[in-house]
């Protein structure tokens, strides 16, 4: 009777162990997937930072060019008025 109980407990523990191993493998795969996604997002974040820096530099160049054109325009208007 006691042997039967121990055999039953052993089977139950083996099944639980198998279930936990399967769950652990599943979680490990999810972790790998999340880690890959984090790496991809980090790469994307760096690209966006670079693009933003480039956009700000281009914006400044355009502002500078516009300022120069406005100064030229004022100078031309003054020449025309003379």
């Amino acid at each position: 009777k006691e042997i039967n109980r121990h055999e039953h407990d052993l089977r139950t523990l083996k099944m639980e162990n198998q279930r936990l191993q399967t769950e652990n493998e599943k979680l490990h795969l999810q972790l790998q997937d999340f880690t890959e996604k984090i790496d991809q997002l980090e790469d994307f974040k760096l690209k966006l930072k670079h693009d933003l820096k480039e956009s700000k530099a281009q914006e400044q160049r355009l502002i500078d060019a516009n300022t120069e054109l406005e100064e030229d325009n004022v100078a031309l208007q003054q020449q025309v008025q003379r």
Side-chain angles (χ1 to χ4, degrees), residues 10-49:
L10 180 61
R11 283 193 303 274
T12 302
L13 289 172
K14 282 182 178 181
M15 287 174 21
E16 179 67 7
N17 185 48
Q18 182 60 44
R19 185 190 69 76
L20 291 172
Q21 284 180 346
T22 301
E23 183 178 349
N24 188 35
E25 290 170 6
K26 178 183 170 187
L27 291 172
H28 183 71
L29 289 175
Q30 284 181 334
L31 176 62
Q32 286 178 327
D33 187 45
F34 289 147
T35 301
E36 287 175 16
K37 287 179 181 176
I38 288 170
D39 290 342
Q40 291 171 355
L41 288 172
E42 283 294 324
D43 290 344
F44 187 61
K45 177 181 158 186
L46 291 174
K47 182 188 178 308
L48 287 176
K49 279 186 174 184

Side-chain angles (χ1 to χ4, degrees), residues 60-73:
Q60 189 58 52
R61 287 191 297 273
L62 291 172
I63 288 171
D64 294 344
N66 186 53
T67 301
E68 187 178 334
L69 288 172
E70 286 178 354
E71 290 170 355
D72 290 348
N73 188 31

Side-chain angles (χ1 to χ4, degrees), residues 2 4 20-21 36 39 58 65 78-81:
E2 189 161 331
N4 286 339
L20 291 172
Q21 284 180 346
E36 287 175 16
D39 290 342
Q58 183 178 7
Q78 289 174 350
Q79 285 179 3
V80 169
Q81 290 177 354

